Amino acid sequence: MTGGRSGALRGRDKESDALRALVDRAGAGAGGCLLLLGGPGAGKTALLDLAVAHAAAGASDEQEFLVLRTQGVRGETHLPYAGLHALLRPLADRLEATGAGPYADPAAAGSRMLAEALRTGVAADGLALPAALLRLLQTAGRPVLVCADDLQWLDAPSREAICFVARRAVTVPVAVLLASAEPGTASGGLPPLPLAPLDERASRQVLDDLVPAGLPGDLRAALVRAARGNPLALAELAGALTDAHHKGSAPPPETPPRGGRLWRAYADRLRGLPADTADLVLLIAADPGIDAVTLVRAAEARSGLAPLEAAENAGVVVESPGGGFDLADPILRHVAYAEASLARRRAAHRLLASLLDGVSGGEHQRLRRAWHRAAALDGPPGQLAEELVRALAAAPRAAAFPEPFRVLERAAELTGQGEAKAARLAAAARHAWQAGQPQRARSLLSRIDTLAAGVEVRGRAELVRGTLELRAGTTGSACDTLLAAAERLLRTDREQAVRALVRAGEASYLAGDNRRFLAIARRAETLRRPDDDHVTGLALEYLAGMAATFRGRHREATASLRRVATGVMAPPSAGSPSMLVWGGVANLLLGNGAEALTLASRAVEMARAHGAVASMPQMLEILIQAQLWSGRYDAVAANALDGLRLAQETGRATSGAQHLAWLAFTAAVAGDEETCVLRAARAVELAAAHGVSVAEALGTLALAHLDVAANRHADAVNRLRAVARTGDPLVVRVMATPLLVESAVRTGDIAQARDALVVLDRWADSTRDPDRLALAARCHALLAPPAEAAERFAEALELHRQGACGFETARTRLLYGGMLRRSRRPGAAREHLHGALETFERYGARLWSEHARAELRAAGESVRPSGSRSEAGRLLTAQQLQIATLVAEGATNREVAARLFISPRTVEHHLRNIFARLGVRSRVELTRLLS
């Protein structure tokens, strides 16, 4: 586990602080003990090194620490006092000198006893020797740090003596740090400090430290997934990467290298198991999550249930969430399987296949049986491959083992050269992509290049390749590949050909290339047939409706979009998350925000239920858009954080750019300038690298919203003009228009404001969406002469009441109240300004709340602060206020970091500033202030 420049250990802030505090206490005269618990590679030794470094740096400035270290060695477990021999080596001269003292001197007697035990490996039973060790450390004349690593391999007499000291170190200047991979190693009374797996953020940081040049997003995500939060696994996986891994032509490593430290540690642990227990462990490794009935039958067929109990007691086997059994660590599972001989593995698969033969449990059991038969090579290869493919086709989608892409990859391996092999590899690549493993999908596709495959198989492979490029590459390249796939598939699979055209259209939309989108839609229109199936017909209607919208022909678009909006609810499309997304987009363009929200929510739920990890970021994009139009900004922020996390995990850079832009927008609404600027800059950078013009426009839109909130109207106009030049799609232009009109009016550019309003007017009039009609009316009010403006504002508020967006209603009331105040109608103004202020405070919109208060003061009202929380809101930035509020509610630094997608160290930095600004000294005082 590596750290940044500060030397901190990634993801171990809490543990590091606990160790430093213990060393500091020992330096001040009152020590203690901590027992670090974690499996191989969890970072125990790195934490001990950190404590030693802290002691050497002078935890107490008054005197230097005496550091004593020992480490258990498996080969010396049987040697009494071998551990103490290593621990006390720095004190050998002192033991000899002290032992030469008067025979009646207790210190001399203790030293002689210790020296004799270290020389002969024999000592009297009882408390004498452990007490002598405690006395020796207590009289060292300076603070002592004792570190005992790999406690599970330390010889019993040394372990007992060190633990004796550890339990009594509280009142003496001795800090004892113990580390063990096995919880039951030390006797009771020692405070444990379990080392949980690193979270995803810390794991990514570790990889960034290990590979400063950076890794492709999908490769980094694959390594994080394979390491499961184990720091040593991350280091060894990164060290095992080759050029082929970096280029994507080889699948990412799924286990640390064989022969590495982590592999050896797990292999050593497994070698200590009895033979019958090891056989049972191999069965579980061959069928992760194996159900209890099958496992019990397997155990009874061998040597009964005693080995299962032994494996559980050893912490090797655990009960899985589904009620079955698995090994305690996925890496341990890989090692257990790979360390077994080929003959033992085949025997395990044969046994499992025989136990599943004729067992009730439906098609999933049939797939498991086919998998085990194929793994055991229990039949002709071609027959086994066919059995796998048929069983997979009939299996339920939710089955976790075996994974579909592995089934198809195995079927391809069992298939001779030719069309069938290539087709199975293409199908495996598609499933790998859907499982969120793009690098493995690319590796599978690269194997097709050397095979003799027909046009249809090549077309399907290109469809997968183009989809990969669309989500993780560049939109321009994706569009080219998808169009080529569509042409190849047209003669043999029209449904897939049309789907390829839809994705090519999405690529051009994301790129902001409206001309190319229209060309794709025209090509799709030539493919229409009266006998088109339901799915193909909907896809063509979707493209037609989108194209008409982009041309500004909204009435023409309405018919196609309505057919899509209603058609996706009919079988078979009602069961497809991607088609529900089409329906959500259609409803958004029709102005049916509530229907769009319903369909998008259903698509997300369905994708989660199907385990479609790779599609989740895209599903969340549409859900966020629907929530945004309804003013549900809290939900937008939560879903954008989730979408960004999933996009990073699955290597979907294009989606990640959009989620960053949404997060920037919600930060702008909250008035958190620092966060908004950072997230928008990252969104724009990522969007530019991948050709995602939409995300670039959204990031710029977020900054423009912040400018308007901060009264920087000239800056807002300049930003929004730049957005207009990018060929941004209708949705972004509609969102941008109210901001552009307001800022253009404030800067005196009335012509710019009127030109911008044409787009919003045309679209709002065609959809009759009350929220958008209200925004258009508000824009007209800003452009109208004073006599007409009040009527327009009143019209806007009436439309808002029919809509759903409370935030935009408050924005209209703020502008209307300001106009009334300037028209010398302060009483009428205050009514609207109070309503706006209440809404802004409910949304946590700091800058907008300040606007409302300023207008109320200008209207002659003394604005009453809402107490200490209002004072905190004035003194703190939006992010600081967010952090302070969460801490006051009882959240830990780690929990705050997870909620706000920042590091615990950043939370700690902000808290120091929060305490200073508010004049508080603790979390308790902060809670009192904000309560």
Side-chain angles (χ1 to χ4, degrees):
M1 179 168 52
T2 62
R5 295 178 183 176
S6 66
L9 300 179
R10 299 293 192 187
R12 296 289 187 227
D13 291 349
K14 181 183 74 173
E15 295 86 351
S16 299
D17 289 346
L19 266 62
R20 291 190 187 100
L22 176 62
V23 172
D24 289 345
R25 287 200 302 274
C33 169
L34 282 173
L35 172 60
L36 305 180
L37 293 172
K44 303 183 295 296
T45 303
L47 283 163
L48 295 183
D49 291 342
L50 179 143
V52 171
H54 187 63
S60 168
D61 295 330
E62 298 175 1
Q63 48 193 331
E64 184 181 351
F65 263 81
L66 169 64
V67 177
L68 303 175
R69 298 190 74 163
T70 188
Q71 182 172 14
V73 179
R74 185 168 187 170
E76 296 183 359
T77 304
H78 65 290
L79 297 176
Y81 301 108
L84 276 184
H85 186 275
L87 183 76
L88 298 179
R89 192 179 306 160
L91 298 179
D93 293 343
R94 183 181 168 197
L95 279 175
E96 184 177 341
T98 309
Y103 190 82
D105 182 0
S111 293
R112 282 194 293 271
M113 180 184 299
L114 281 169
E116 182 69 14
L118 298 183
R119 185 175 63 82
T120 65
V122 178
D125 293 335
L127 295 177
L129 187 138
L133 177 62
L134 177 60
R135 186 181 301 110
L136 177 71
L137 302 179
Q138 189 175 357
T139 58
R142 50 180 168 153
V144 181
L145 172 61
V146 174
C147 296
D149 204 353
D150 286 332
L151 200 65
Q152 72 277 6
W153 300 127
L154 214 59
D155 63 277
S158 295
R159 184 169 64 243
E160 290 167 4
I162 292 171
C163 289
F164 177 91
V165 171
R167 283 188 286 271
R168 289 158 179 80
V170 178
T171 58
V172 295
V174 178
V176 182
L177 291 174
L178 311 175
S180 177
E182 298 175 10
T185 302
S187 51
L190 302 177
L193 184 60
L195 302 185
L198 299 182
D199 60 25
E200 288 157 11
R201 184 184 183 87
S203 295
R204 289 194 298 270
Q205 290 173 334
V206 169
L207 284 175
D208 290 344
D209 293 337
L210 291 166
V211 190
L215 293 170
D218 51 359
L219 178 57
R220 185 172 71 162
L223 297 189
V224 169
R225 185 168 53 247
R228 308 280 178 156
N230 186 297
L232 180 57
L234 287 164
E236 294 191 338
L237 285 164
L241 294 176
T242 64
D243 287 343
H245 291 124
H246 284 278
K247 293 174 182 175
S249 57
E254 294 185 296
T255 61
R258 193 163 187 164
R261 282 174 52 204
L262 192 57
W263 188 285
R264 291 198 309 272
Y266 278 124
D268 287 345
R269 184 177 179 186
L270 291 166
R271 274 194 287 272
L273 298 175
D276 51 1
T277 302
D279 287 340
L280 197 66
V281 166
L282 176 57
L283 286 174
I284 298 172
D287 195 335
I290 185 172
D291 61 281
V293 173
T294 304
L295 185 60
V296 168
R297 289 176 63 208
E300 290 174 343
R302 290 173 176 259
S303 52
L305 292 174
L308 176 60
E309 186 176 353
E312 288 184 297
N313 290 339
V316 173
V317 172
V318 296
E319 191 169 348
S320 61
F325 290 88
D326 201 350
L327 299 194
D329 186 320
I331 299 175
L332 178 63
R333 183 200 308 143
H334 286 295
V335 175
Y337 187 82
E339 284 288 307
S341 66
L342 177 60
R344 286 185 63 218
R345 292 201 298 265
R346 290 185 66 186
H349 285 296
R350 281 198 192 97
L351 174 60
L352 289 165
S354 67
L355 292 171
L356 291 167
D357 192 7
V359 172
S360 61
E363 299 300 337
H364 180 224
Q365 301 292 50
R366 180 184 165 199
L367 176 59
R368 285 173 62 204
R369 180 178 179 274
W371 173 261
H372 290 303
R373 276 175 43 79
L377 289 174
D378 194 16
Q383 179 182 322
L384 293 173
E386 290 293 337
E387 186 180 340
L388 278 171
V389 172
R390 287 196 303 270
L392 179 63
R397 289 186 178 183
F401 173 84
E403 295 164 286
F405 75 86
R406 297 189 194 276
V407 172
L408 289 162
E409 184 177 12
R410 181 61 176 154
E413 291 167 352
L414 295 169
T415 305
Q417 299 294 318
E419 185 88 1
K421 186 181 188 76
R424 285 166 182 169
L425 285 170
R430 177 170 58 83
H431 281 284
W433 160 248
Q434 290 171 345
Q437 300 200 30
Q439 185 126 359
R440 179 167 289 275
R442 288 194 189 92
S443 172
L444 290 164
L445 289 172
S446 69
R447 290 157 62 179
I448 299 174
D449 296 339
T450 60
L451 300 174
V455 173
E456 181 177 356
V457 172
R458 296 281 179 198
R460 291 189 178 187
E462 286 300 293
L463 176 54
V464 178
R465 191 173 277 116
T467 304
L468 284 165
E469 190 69 13
L470 172 61
R471 306 303 176 201
T474 60
T475 52
S477 175
C479 192
D480 293 340
T481 305
L482 289 164
L483 288 174
E487 293 303 322
R488 278 182 166 167
L489 289 166
L490 271 174
R491 294 182 182 177
T492 55
D493 193 338
R494 286 186 75 253
E495 180 182 336
Q496 289 301 311
V498 171
R499 191 173 288 270
L501 285 175
V502 171
R503 288 183 188 165
E506 183 183 351
S508 61
Y509 163 80
L510 291 174
D513 191 344
N514 289 348
R515 288 186 179 180
R516 196 168 196 187
F517 186 97
L518 296 176
I520 292 168
R522 285 193 296 272
R523 175 69 177 113
E525 193 63 30
T526 66
L527 303 179
R528 280 188 186 269
R529 290 183 188 168
D531 61 344
D532 276 333
D533 61 55
H534 179 71
V535 173
T536 302
L538 279 182
L540 293 170
E541 291 285 7
Y542 178 72
L543 283 171
M546 293 280 285
T549 300
F550 290 166
R551 291 189 183 101
R553 300 172 182 173
H554 301 298
R555 297 190 187 281
E556 178 185 326
T558 299
S560 291
L561 293 174
R562 281 181 180 159
R563 281 192 285 271
V564 173
T566 56
V568 297
M569 297 306 297
S573 53
S576 166
S578 60
M579 296 191 71
L580 291 174
V581 165
W582 296 352
V585 173
N587 274 299
L588 281 175
L589 295 177
L590 289 168
N592 299 331
E595 284 300 315
L597 190 58
T598 298
L599 290 177
S601 300
R602 190 173 300 176
V604 169
E605 291 167 8
M606 203 169 287
R608 281 201 174 104
H610 291 171
V613 181
S615 65
M616 281 293 296
Q618 182 196 7
M619 306 294 161
L620 287 168
E621 287 170 26
I622 307 305
L623 178 60
I624 286 168
Q625 183 70 67
Q627 290 169 333
L628 192 83
W629 282 26
S630 302
R632 303 184 183 188
Y633 297 135
D634 286 346
V636 168
N639 283 319
L641 281 173
D642 198 21
L644 179 60
R645 176 182 60 82
L646 289 168
Q648 291 173 331
E649 286 177 13
T650 56
R652 295 177 68 112
T654 55
S655 192
Q658 293 188 76
H659 288 297
L660 277 166
W662 293 130
L663 288 170
F665 188 87
T666 56
V669 170
D672 185 347
E673 183 154 6
E674 180 184 1
T675 302
C676 176
V677 169
L678 286 172
R679 285 174 171 167
R682 180 59 183 144
V684 170
E685 177 188 5
L686 199 58
H690 295 274
V692 191
S693 176
V694 168
E696 193 171 352
L698 288 171
T700 305
L701 179 65
L703 294 171
H705 184 109
L706 188 67
D707 286 335
V708 174
N711 274 327
R712 297 190 294 261
H713 292 286
D715 291 342
V717 169
N718 289 333
R719 288 191 200 279
L720 294 170
R721 281 176 180 157
V723 168
R725 287 197 295 271
T726 65
D728 53 304
L730 176 71
V731 170
V732 181
R733 278 182 285 165
V734 166
M735 291 174 63
T737 297
L739 293 171
L740 180 54
V741 168
E742 182 177 346
S743 292
V745 167
R746 294 289 182 92
T747 57
D749 193 346
I750 303 301
Q752 171 86 2
R754 293 191 189 282
D755 290 344
L757 187 51
V758 172
V759 174
L760 177 58
D761 271 340
R762 189 182 299 157
W763 185 78
D765 185 58
S766 69
T767 63
R768 307 308 299 169
D769 172 28
D771 282 311
R772 268 11 85 180
L773 286 168
L775 293 177
R778 181 173 89 198
C779 290
H780 282 288
L782 291 171
L783 288 164
E788 185 185 333
E791 184 181 341
R792 288 287 199 170
F793 273 123
E795 177 190 352
L797 288 175
E798 178 56 36
L799 288 163
H800 276 307
R801 277 189 279 273
Q802 300 169 34
C805 189
F807 182 82
E808 290 299 340
T809 304
R811 292 257 292 115
T812 300
R813 297 190 78 177
L814 174 63
L815 289 167
Y816 188 19
M819 189 220 75
L820 290 170
R821 176 188 63 78
R822 289 188 297 275
S823 301
R824 302 183 183 278
R825 297 173 61 191
R830 287 194 289 267
E831 177 188 350
H832 291 292
L833 294 172
H834 273 300
L837 177 59
E838 288 173 11
T839 301
F840 291 144
E841 287 186 334
R842 191 168 65 249
Y843 275 87
R846 183 174 63 91
L847 294 177
W848 293 113
S849 296
E850 289 175 4
H851 278 308
R853 287 194 183 90
E855 285 287 354
L856 279 166
R857 283 192 291 270
E861 180 156 329
S862 177
V863 183
R864 182 173 58 87
S866 58
S868 297
R869 187 175 293 267
S870 288
E871 182 65 11
R874 185 181 65 80
L875 294 172
L876 303 178
T877 68
Q879 186 170 47
Q880 286 173 340
L881 182 60
Q882 227 175 346
I883 290 170
T885 302
L886 290 170
V887 168
E889 291 170 355
T892 65
N893 286 8
R894 189 172 297 278
E895 289 166 344
V896 173
R899 289 275 298 276
L900 302 183
F901 211 75
I902 55 179
S903 71
R905 189 166 294 279
T906 301
V907 174
E908 184 180 335
H909 168 75
H910 279 305
L911 270 178
R912 285 196 295 269
N913 291 334
I914 290 166
F915 285 5
R917 289 190 181 193
L918 298 184
V920 298
R921 292 173 295 178
S922 68
R923 288 171 178 257
V924 173
E925 290 185 11
L926 178 64
T927 302
R928 286 174 182 160
L929 181 70
L930 298 184
S931 63

